[in-house]
Amino acid sequence: MVKKSVWSMCGMCTVRCPIRVETEDNKVTWIEGNQHLLKGALCAKGSAGIALLNDTERPLRPLIRKGGRGAGRWEEVSWYAALDYVADNLKTIIKKHGPESIMLSCRGGPFIDLLNAFIHGLGSPNFTNHDSGCGRNVHHASLSVYGLGRKGFVYDIKKSKHLVLFGRNILASLRIAEVNQVLDMLDAGGKMTYVDVRQSLTGIKATRFFQVRPGTDYALALGIIHEVLKEKTYDKEFIEKYVSDFDKLEEFVESYTLEWAANECGIKAGRIKDFVQEIAVDRPKVVFHPGWMMSRYRDSFYASRALHILNVLMGNVEVEGGQIFAKGPGDCGVKEIRSLDAQVPKPTAKRADGVGWKYTHFDKGPGLFPLFYEAMQTGEPYPLKALICVRHDPFTCFPDPQAQKEALDKLDLLVSLDTHYSEFGWYSDVILPESTYLERDSLIATQKGPKPRFIMRRKAVEPQHDTKSLNEIIKLLADRLGIGQYFPFTTTEELWNWQLEPTGFTLRDFDDKGFVSLADKPVMFDRANLDGKFKTPSGKIEIISRVLTDAGLPSLKPYESPEKPDKGQFRLVFGRSPLHAHSHTINNPLLHELMPDNTLWINKRQAAKLGVTEGDWVDVISDGVTGTIKAHVTDFIHLEAVYMVHGFGRQVPLQTRAYHAGIADQKLMKGFLTKMDPAGGGLCLCECFVTVRRSSKNPKRMVEL
Amino acid sequence: MKKYMIYLNSKRCIGCHGCEIHCKTNKGLPVGPILCEISQEPLKMVAGVPKTEFRFRSCYHCEDPDCVAVCPTGAMQKRHDGIVLVDQEKCIGCMACIGACTWGVPQLNPDTGKVVKCDYCMDRIDAGLKPACVTRCATHALKFVTLQEI
Ligand code: SF4
Ligand code: SF4
Ligand code: SF4
């Protein structure tokens, strides 16, 4: 028997926790959190990685579509045939329409260098990702305030005294290290204020809970800013030194009193006052989490911006227990790892989503995926002809898959490169099956933070089926497309060595702990001299963002009260469970066993009016789309909202467990593909109203024979 | 004479059900048997915050286990340190223990047709390690406790 222990990186969700994997004869026997960083801790998904590996309800060999798109008729082909098919089609498209007619999407993360090098190597600027349906509002809000993206700071939650969460379900989202930081902070007597339209796994650990009316986060944040300014409990020195247009903020929030906010949100003013008094004492060790998935309401960008501003008022920048600048290798006197994309000439064509020329206030890196649909439909600024999705399922991530399909029908080639059958994959022309994270090596990457490190994923076992790693697939395609020179490696080992070369470290430096630590102690900048650290046009923390002003957008947007649902209607909100990484894990045998479908949370009083009791089937209807799930009747959701866990309602027949289990929120959102926050670029995914009724599927008689 | 216990710090537990899967994957169990269980109280308002308590249950490793008494083949047995375990070689899958246990703790493994139950991961503790559920608990809420002998 051959036993092995391998340092690696989880791939069940996009947190990518560091893990150690034990194997016996090429079978995984044990996975645990890296002892050096997580002391063994792992979540249910992480453990269920073994079930993913052994599951055969995933693409096991390359598939080429036989029938119409989405018909589910596939031909199993060899890798040669599949790669030739993709490469030949891409070549034809490039010849006819130019390389810019090809776009590539993924789910972001630390390994995008490979994908950027590929699409840029082809000559197309059209790299994008899922983030319009996730954190773009937070990212752009952060850029507009600090000139740094949302990953520019790390929250020192463990040492903070007060963590404030606006709908950030931090404990269910299960970044293991972060979860333990939160619990350690609470164990040490820290406070946590949780704001949401419903109670969640995170809220149950909170010391204060504000159940607000859906869509009023921005109002609450403005009320808090007003009170902090009124009571003058902000960090005057820090603001004088680093913040521009502070007076504009004072002027702007004048009418947004605490009483006004309380009334708008449906909570008691006295409770907000108590909160403001508490943070006045806890400051600067107060962290207002600016949000993660904030593609919610039409003003979520401004809500997130207000939360960023609250952090500034707390003066929590570069302090222990506050926000710490994310440091990179350069801050530790180490050279960056070598980038593939940096060797590739920048494509000259402008982006098809308009980012960078039509929309100057958005980050050009990944642009905004939904805007590509517009380009597909109109053929402007030029026609798009091919889409490659790498482990990204736009039909699950973005609303209204039907509208997406209509746009995609203008394309000649859809390629899904994935470890599982995504709904997009099912509709695509080719599925290139990627090996699971336990069977594949990934690039070496940098994890920035107060103590930056180099991290890597090594395969624990050889692929169990005819699948390949992303590195291999991209390399093989690149060779066929005549851009192999940008991928100067044949084995991953060669690639790693090439990446590491400038840093002075070698692969052996990963042997002890699975990562290379670049600092023993947190690297802290001199807080008295942060000049040059804020990358806004003015070099200051900008209350009035020059970039937004130049784009004709307000930096401080007057508040508008959210719509109220009509009688019998509810605002549809969605979230996540600790057991599933959205749609990716729904069909995992072990995770499915524990959570086979989703339910509709509905307020007890509303349920009574509809004659619905716990466990009844309810129909959820929106503009011609209907689904039926069981009701979860509770006091702990706002009267105006209903809630479900995202990721269910999948319609890939080969996923026998997930097939039609539960319902999909995004499929109910007809017409929402184009509802984008013009300032933040996030989609407005909590602006959809649904009708709920007790389903006629609830049996009334025992009819057996 | 009982020596071990698993203790859950409900203040840290987040109800992620990780432990249930940590246990299953350690024993290589298929869909069906789940050897430990996280349960929770309905939410209740405590000082303005809806709260709950989590509970963890595996096997009580009873002083005088009914499952052992009823087992016709001696597969179900109690070890010197109090661990109640099923000897897979001897188990014939008659499921008498499942009926005998007040809490229905032993379960049938559909793949093998034999009974499985929590054995405090005795192969791990014999090797000086902690049980799977404890080692990998997402929040370090589970503790493996060795009780003093009286
Ligand atoms: S299986 Fe039941 S009877 Fe046997 S030791 Fe466990 S709890 Fe007691
Ligand atoms: S001690 Fe081992 S067998 Fe018992 S519940 Fe925990 S993981 Fe399962
Ligand atoms: S793994 Fe730990 S935190 Fe998660 S449910 Fe089990 S005991 Fe609780």
Side-chain angles (χ1 to χ4, degrees):
Chain A
M1 198 191 325
V2 188
K3 285 195 182 199
K4 270 197 330 182
S5 168
V6 184
W7 297 116
S8 193
M9 194 188 286
C10 186
M12 290 298 284
C13 78
T14 45
V15 172
R16 304 179 184 85
C17 290
I19 53 172
R20 191 181 64 83
V21 185
E22 289 175 18
T23 67
E24 275 177 31
D25 292 338
N26 207 37
K27 294 268 171 272
V28 174
T29 52
W30 176 264
I31 309 173
E32 68 179 21
N34 184 321
Q35 285 289 347
H36 301 284
L37 296 168
L38 303 176
K39 301 199 187 81
L42 199 65
C43 77
K45 291 165 282 176
S47 243
I50 298 184
L52 165 72
L53 182 64
N54 297 334
D55 186 16
T56 50
E57 291 189 2
R58 58 178 171 105
L60 305 177
R61 51 196 64 84
L63 300 171
I64 295 182
R65 177 171 63 82
K66 271 207 302 201
R69 278 187 183 162
R73 311 264 293 173
W74 300 97
E75 187 174 356
E76 290 186 354
V77 297
S78 69
W79 273 100
Y80 286 106
L83 292 166
D84 282 349
Y85 181 90
V86 173
D88 290 348
N89 273 288
L90 287 176
K91 276 190 223 160
T92 310
I93 289 169
I94 291 172
K95 214 166 172 189
K96 237 170 120 186
H97 304 278
E100 63 275 15
S101 62
I102 302 169
M103 62 179 282
L104 184 147
S105 182
C106 66
R107 303 197 63 233
F111 308 125
I112 58 171
D113 188 38
L114 182 82
L115 298 172
N116 265 315
F118 178 72
I119 191 76
H120 294 157
L122 287 177
S124 170
N126 294 319
F127 172 80
T128 188
N129 70 14
H130 73 296
D131 209 36
S132 300
C134 188
R136 270 301 97 168
N137 281 332
V138 181
H139 179 69
H140 286 134
S142 180
L143 275 173
S144 77
V145 173
Y146 303 108
L148 297 168
R150 69 159 160 171
K151 291 179 183 151
F153 289 101
V154 169
Y155 309 111
D156 187 13
I157 293 172
K158 183 170 176 166
K159 296 204 178 108
S160 72
K161 290 187 178 162
H162 203 139
L163 175 63
V164 190
L165 303 165
F166 276 61
R168 169 64 179 146
N169 193 355
I170 203 166
L171 298 182
S173 303
L174 271 165
R175 297 157 71 91
I176 300 271
E178 186 179 64
V179 163
N180 281 286
Q181 281 210 22
V182 173
L183 295 166
D184 289 350
M185 180 273 285
L186 291 169
D187 275 349
K191 303 181 199 81
M192 182 160 84
T193 293
Y194 186 72
V195 183
D196 205 337
V197 302
R198 66 167 194 122
Q199 180 57 309
S200 74
L201 203 58
T202 305
I204 57 168
K205 303 288 184 196
T207 43
R208 180 181 286 99
F209 174 58
F210 290 130
Q211 185 175 290
V212 293
R213 202 187 141 213
T216 61
D217 288 351
Y218 186 34
L220 182 58
L222 289 177
I224 296 168
I225 296 179
H226 175 102
E227 189 68 9
V228 167
L229 295 191
K230 194 178 103 193
E231 296 295 319
K232 300 210 178 322
T233 55
Y234 49 86
D235 189 332
K236 291 182 201 71
E237 217 179 297
F238 181 82
I239 287 164
E240 247 159 55
K241 217 167 148 113
Y242 297 119
V243 180
S244 63
D245 293 316
F246 185 63
D247 51 326
K248 299 264 171 44
L249 181 67
E250 287 178 305
E251 215 176 281
F252 174 70
V253 296
E254 216 186 303
S255 60
Y256 298 122
T257 63
L258 205 141
E259 288 70 24
W260 166 83
N263 189 41
E264 185 61 26
C265 303
I267 52 183
K268 291 212 171 71
R271 294 188 65 215
I272 315 180
K273 210 175 178 66
D274 291 347
F275 166 72
V276 174
Q277 280 167 1
E278 250 175 49
I279 56 171
V281 178
D282 296 337
R283 197 178 65 71
K285 297 189 181 211
V286 177
V287 174
F288 278 85
H289 198 296
W292 188 273
M293 209 310 284
M294 284 279 266
S295 296
R296 295 185 186 275
Y297 306 103
R298 59 186 177 197
D299 59 8
S300 287
F301 168 79
Y302 290 99
S304 180
R305 202 165 190 274
L307 294 169
H308 284 297
I309 289 175
L310 273 162
N311 279 324
V312 174
L313 296 179
M314 297 295 107
N316 72 3
V317 177
E318 206 63 356
V319 292
E320 220 183 52
Q323 303 189 85
I324 300 179
F325 280 94
K327 315 295 183 318
D331 300 303
C332 309
V334 176
K335 287 232 166 66
E336 305 258 352
I337 46 179
R338 194 178 273 145
S339 149
L340 292 163
D341 187 37
Q343 324 296 323
V344 179
K346 287 248 164 321
T348 45
K350 50 189 183 180
R351 293 183 61 98
D353 58 359
V355 175
W357 53 280
K358 195 161 153 198
Y359 307 104
T360 51
H361 58 299
F362 294 137
D363 181 353
K364 265 197 301 200
L368 296 167
F369 192 134
L371 294 177
F372 281 102
Y373 284 125
E374 214 179 292
M376 287 175 207
Q377 289 284 20
T378 60
E380 295 296 331
Y382 46 77
L384 287 163
K385 288 295 162 192
L387 168 61
I388 305 167
C389 279
V390 179
R391 242 175 297 119
H392 175 211
D393 187 358
F395 295 171
T396 305
C397 173
F398 302 132
D400 201 346
Q402 213 46 49
Q404 297 182 51
K405 287 177 189 170
E406 280 162 28
L408 291 176
D409 285 346
K410 310 252 182 204
L411 269 54
D412 297 341
L413 181 68
L414 306 179
V415 181
S416 169
L417 211 159
D418 213 325
T419 52
H420 75 303
Y421 294 113
S422 71
E423 301 222 314
F424 169 80
W426 200 246
Y427 194 72
S428 66
D429 306 320
V430 189
I431 298 180
L432 299 178
E434 194 188 5
S435 305
T436 67
Y437 69 98
L438 292 164
E439 309 160 297
R440 71 171 185 258
D441 295 321
S442 300
L443 300 190
I444 293 176
T446 304
Q447 188 170 44
K448 291 190 173 182
K451 292 201 277 182
R453 44 179 97 101
F454 293 139
I455 53 174
M456 71 189 296
R457 171 186 290 136
R458 282 177 195 268
K459 64 178 162 197
V461 288
E462 291 303 320
Q464 319 271 304
H465 303 279
D466 195 12
T467 60
K468 287 188 189 299
S469 74
L470 184 61
N471 295 354
E472 271 179 286
I473 300 171
I474 292 293
K475 168 75 179 159
L476 290 167
L477 278 176
D479 285 344
R480 282 171 167 73
L481 289 157
I483 53 166
Q485 75 271 23
Y486 299 129
F487 303 88
F489 59 90
T490 35
T491 65
T492 320
E493 206 112 323
E494 276 171 38
L495 170 62
W496 287 335
N497 287 327
W498 181 86
Q499 284 189 285
L500 278 179
E501 211 238 324
T503 68
F505 290 102
T506 66
L507 283 175
R508 305 206 55 173
D509 294 309
F510 290 80
D511 286 352
D512 274 0
K513 298 181 172 174
F515 59 95
V516 172
S517 186
L518 303 182
D520 301 334
K521 284 194 305 242
V523 180
M524 298 292 275
F525 294 146
D526 176 8
R527 195 169 176 273
N529 186 15
L530 292 174
D531 292 332
K533 300 290 184 217
F534 305 110
K535 308 292 184 196
T536 52
S538 65
K540 296 267 179 198
I541 294 175
E542 294 186 349
I543 298 291
I544 304 297
S545 152
R546 197 187 296 168
V547 175
L548 286 177
T549 308
D550 288 351
L553 291 159
S555 291
L556 300 166
K557 197 176 86 142
Y559 178 78
E560 284 171 63
S561 194
E563 271 172 77
K564 273 201 165 57
D566 289 338
K567 202 161 168 270
Q569 288 220 311
F570 299 87
R571 191 182 282 266
L572 175 64
V573 301
F574 58 90
R576 71 185 295 167
S577 135
L579 275 161
H580 284 297
H582 309 308
S583 65
H584 291 239
T585 54
I586 306 290
N587 200 51
N588 181 293
L590 296 185
L591 298 170
H592 173 267
E593 182 180 21
L594 290 191
M595 188 174 182
D597 54 15
N598 57 356
T599 58
L600 189 81
W601 284 44
I602 183 165
N603 182 281
K604 209 181 231 168
R605 272 163 52 199
Q606 301 284 25
K609 281 192 222 158
L610 298 173
V612 169
T613 54
E614 177 73 16
D616 279 353
W617 292 102
V618 284
D619 298 328
V620 189
I621 307 154
S622 144
D623 202 5
V625 191
T626 310
T628 305
I629 44 172
K630 286 191 169 170
H632 172 50
V633 176
T634 169
D635 283 322
F636 303 105
I637 182 165
H638 195 275
L639 288 163
E640 289 181 15
V642 287
Y643 163 86
M644 65 178 74
V645 172
H646 177 71
F648 285 90
R650 301 183 58 68
Q651 287 168 303
V652 176
L654 289 183
Q655 295 187 319
T656 58
R657 295 169 288 267
Y659 189 52
H660 284 296
I663 59 182
D665 55 89
Q666 80 278 5
K667 290 179 187 166
L668 292 161
M669 297 176 193
K670 204 167 145 192
F672 278 75
L673 189 57
T674 48
K675 296 222 160 66
M676 182 189 93
D677 185 319
L683 293 169
C684 305
L685 301 179
C686 294
E687 295 286 1
C688 174
F689 292 94
V690 292
T691 307
V692 178
R693 66 171 184 223
R694 190 170 186 279
S695 177
S696 57
K697 288 175 187 138
N698 290 295
K700 289 190 175 140
R701 293 281 185 281
M702 180 84 159
V703 184
E704 217 173 44
L705 295 170
Chain B
M1 110 90 145
K2 191 165 148 184
K3 264 179 79 180
Y4 308 117
M5 220 187 99
I6 290 176
Y7 160 79
L8 174 70
N9 176 356
S10 173
K11 258 184 84 183
R12 273 193 91 92
C13 175
I14 55 166
C16 72
H17 297 265
C19 41
E20 297 173 4
I21 302 218
H22 300 332
C23 172
K24 287 193 70 148
T25 54
N26 178 52
K27 288 218 179 330
L29 297 178
V31 169
I34 307 177
L35 304 193
C36 57
E37 182 188 15
I38 287 285
S39 57
Q40 79 183 73
E41 299 280 307
L43 294 180
K44 211 171 69 201
M45 272 299 193
V46 181
V49 184
K51 294 260 178 192
T52 184
E53 293 283 323
F54 291 104
R55 275 197 295 259
F56 173 87
R57 194 189 78 174
S58 56
C59 162
Y60 296 102
H61 298 272
C62 303
E63 290 282 321
D64 202 1
D66 293 336
C67 59
V68 173
V70 80
C71 179
T73 66
M76 189 70 84
Q77 46 194 269
K78 195 172 176 71
R79 228 165 68 146
H80 61 280
D81 55 1
I83 293 179
V84 178
L85 62 114
V86 195
D87 181 339
Q88 294 291 310
E89 300 285 302
K90 289 191 188 153
C91 179
I92 51 165
C94 73
M95 303 200 280
C97 52
I98 302 177
C101 170
T102 314
W103 305 277
V105 162
Q107 290 163 57
L108 196 73
N109 178 346
D111 278 4
T112 60
K114 297 178 185 215
V115 159
V116 277
K117 67 178 283 298
C118 167
D119 58 5
Y120 281 150
C121 293
M122 58 185 192
D123 47 336
R124 287 182 60 83
I125 57 174
D126 291 348
L129 301 165
K130 300 249 160 68
C133 54
V134 173
T135 307
R136 301 192 275 194
C137 165
T139 64
H140 312 291
L142 287 175
K143 292 273 172 292
F144 186 60
V145 197
T146 307
L147 301 173
Q148 297 290 335
E149 287 197 49
I150 313 162

